[in-house]
Amino acid sequence: IPNFHGCTLHQDTNFDDAQFNAPPSAEAARAFRTLKLASAQQQAIHQEQRFFRYEMDAEAGIAKSGRRMMFWLYKRLSDYGLSLRRPLYLWLGTLGACGLLYGLIAGPYPSFATGIDWSRTAQWAQFAAINAIPLPGFDRTLMELREALFGTEKPLLLVATIIELLHKGVSLLALFLAGLALRNLFKMKG
């Protein structure tokens, strides 16, 4: 565990080749927090981010089951709010997976004899795209598309609605994490 409590770091202090294998503990989290704050004072953004990751890993290791799961998700989905790539992959993956599910539920399925119904395909692609960007103002369009694609049969409509809710929720989370990464990577204070 690096012990720099109460120390003043020189502006040329560099931890690039340092290896930290501290076991997760409250003491390790405090030590990495000290280095994170010292890096912030020197405006060494990349060092600050590095020590933030170490601090989060130390906190995750001592967290109880519910909090530990949140730390695990935060790390996997966005590298503690520092990865822009991971949330965008999540967003694109969710768009693709839910788009395919919408297409499967909407039917009819293309065959060699009938070919692809391009207007119906455009409808479910539009439905998936609108749900991928959960902004207000598209309610009427979504209602029309939902009715055209899934009809009014309760079981089919219920399944489509559940998928739509999950799609919007994950898309909103992914867009939030992407915004957080932009803020953290470019050090925009709010």
Side-chain angles (χ1 to χ4, degrees), residues 2-48:
N3 186 359
F4 287 87
H5 301 295
C7 295
T8 303
L9 299 180
H10 186 271
Q11 65 190 19
D12 290 331
T13 302
N14 186 325
F15 292 98
D16 289 344
D17 296 327
Q19 295 292 324
F20 299 105
N21 298 318
S25 66
E27 183 182 348
R30 281 192 306 275
F32 291 127
R33 188 176 311 113
T34 297
L35 287 171
K36 177 187 75 173
L37 293 172
S39 298
Q41 286 177 341
Q42 295 178 357
Q43 296 182 359
I45 296 170
H46 297 294
Q47 292 289 346
E48 180 184 357

Side-chain angles (χ1 to χ4, degrees), residues 143-178:
M143 287 174 57
E144 291 170 2
L145 288 170
R146 190 180 300 118
E147 188 174 320
L149 291 170
F150 310 117
T152 56
E153 290 183 35
K154 294 238 185 218
L156 189 61
L157 192 58
L158 179 63
V159 170
T161 303
I162 291 171
I163 294 170
E164 184 181 351
L165 288 171
L166 288 171
H167 187 190
K168 284 183 179 184
V170 173
S171 292
L172 191 61
L173 174 66
L175 292 173
F176 169 77
L177 290 173

